[in-house]
Amino acid sequence: HISNETVTKIDLPDSSRIYLNKQGIISFSQNSKQRSIDLHGEAFFEINREQRPFIINIQHVAIRVLGTSFNVKPSKEGDVIITVVSGKVEVSNGSDRVYLEADEVAMINRSKNVIDKFANSNPNFMSWKNQRLVFNNMELKDVIHALSEYYDITFQIKPPGILDCRFSGSFEKARIETVLEVLAYSLGIEYYYNNNQYILSGEKCK
């Protein structure tokens, strides 16, 4: 049983590796037939291939693999998002089952109890692990969403019209102020901090 306050690398007895996002919790067990993890929170898995399957249980979802690398992320609403980097993953919610390969994503909707499968379009799904953010002609609303998740901060936009502005850039281990300075200069907008949130303001894009 492991819980943490920072991103933690965990080496398992079978030589698999887990990167556990902050405030995540895992419990690991194994026997002659299978290896299994109970997961609470977000984690990235690099599973060592062997005959025994590796099972990850998170909320209402079971993920079954042999050897692969993938990210598992729960949402506040109770949904689960699985993004595969390499190998093949089987995802089940008790009633449906899908198979994922590299660059594919499954979103398991808890309220509807359905699994949606689609191609990965989010370059920042592993930013919490690699500390890198990449924006390629991305709308400001999507940039802000990524920044909110990565830095655990909130934004207010004045006026909302600038959310359609597009931005390109990449950052590695950058302070939020550094990112916002580049963002503001590139788009011709302003930012300031007030009431525990960042305010972005501007009349139009540069």
Side-chain angles (χ1 to χ4, degrees), residues 83 85 103 105 119-128 130-138 142-143 146 167 169-171:
T83 308
V85 174
D103 298 321
V105 180
N120 181 34
S121 61
N122 178 11
N124 297 307
F125 74 96
M126 279 174 50
S127 61
W128 64 271
N130 58 28
Q131 299 183 59
R132 178 175 170 83
L133 291 163
V134 178
F135 305 110
N136 184 16
N137 196 32
M138 191 176 290
D142 295 322
V143 174
F167 173 74
S170 63
F171 305 90

Side-chain angles (χ1 to χ4, degrees), residues 98-110:
V98 301
Y99 294 92
L100 303 176
E101 296 184 350
D103 298 321
E104 291 185 330
V105 180
M107 177 178 286
I108 300 89
N109 185 300
R110 183 168 190 172

Side-chain angles (χ1 to χ4, degrees), residues 12-18 26-30 33-38 45-57 62-68 70 88-90:
L12 298 179
D14 65 351
S15 298
S16 295
R17 179 168 289 173
I18 300 173
I26 64 166
S27 298
F28 175 71
S29 63
Q30 63 178 340
K33 293 184 178 180
Q34 70 176 35
R35 303 160 287 171
S36 64
I37 286 278
D38 288 329
F45 293 85
E46 295 173 349
I47 303 304
N48 187 43
R49 187 174 185 86
E50 58 175 72
Q51 290 301 312
R52 293 181 302 168
F54 196 109
I55 312 295
I56 296 107
N57 297 298
I63 305 161
R64 179 186 175 95
V65 302
L66 286 176
T68 181
F70 56 99
K88 191 173 184 179
V89 173
E90 176 189 301

Side-chain angles (χ1 to χ4, degrees), residues 52-181:
R52 293 181 302 168
F54 196 109
I55 312 295
I56 296 107
N57 297 298
I58 175 169
Q59 298 179 158
H60 55 299
V61 177
I63 305 161
R64 179 186 175 95
V65 302
L66 286 176
T68 181
S69 58
F70 56 99
N71 195 76
V72 180
K73 178 182 180 180
S75 73
K76 294 178 180 178
E77 294 77 23
D79 301 336
V80 177
I81 302 169
I82 298 145
T83 308
V84 177
V85 174
S86 65
K88 191 173 184 179
V89 173
E90 176 189 301
V91 180
S92 172
N93 63 352
S95 56
D96 294 320
R97 179 178 295 136
V98 301
Y99 294 92
L100 303 176
E101 296 184 350
D103 298 321
E104 291 185 330
V105 180
M107 177 178 286
I108 300 89
N109 185 300
R110 183 168 190 172
S111 60
K112 296 180 181 178
N113 198 34
V114 296
I115 305 177
D116 293 319
K117 175 181 171 180
F118 48 89
N120 181 34
S121 61
N122 178 11
N124 297 307
F125 74 96
M126 279 174 50
S127 61
W128 64 271
K129 175 181 175 288
N130 58 28
Q131 299 183 59
R132 178 175 170 83
L133 291 163
V134 178
F135 305 110
N136 184 16
N137 196 32
M138 191 176 290
E139 288 189 350
L140 182 58
K141 62 183 178 182
D142 295 322
V143 174
I144 289 172
H145 179 73
L147 296 180
S148 298
E149 287 201 335
Y150 182 72
Y151 293 102
D152 194 22
I153 56 178
T154 57
F155 287 90
Q156 183 181 352
I157 312 301
K158 297 180 178 179
I162 62 173
L163 287 172
D164 295 332
C165 297
R166 291 186 174 271
F167 173 74
S168 295
S170 63
F171 305 90
E172 191 161 350
K173 299 180 181 178
R175 295 165 56 248
I176 180 59
E177 287 79 11
T178 301
V179 177
L180 292 178
E181 285 172 10

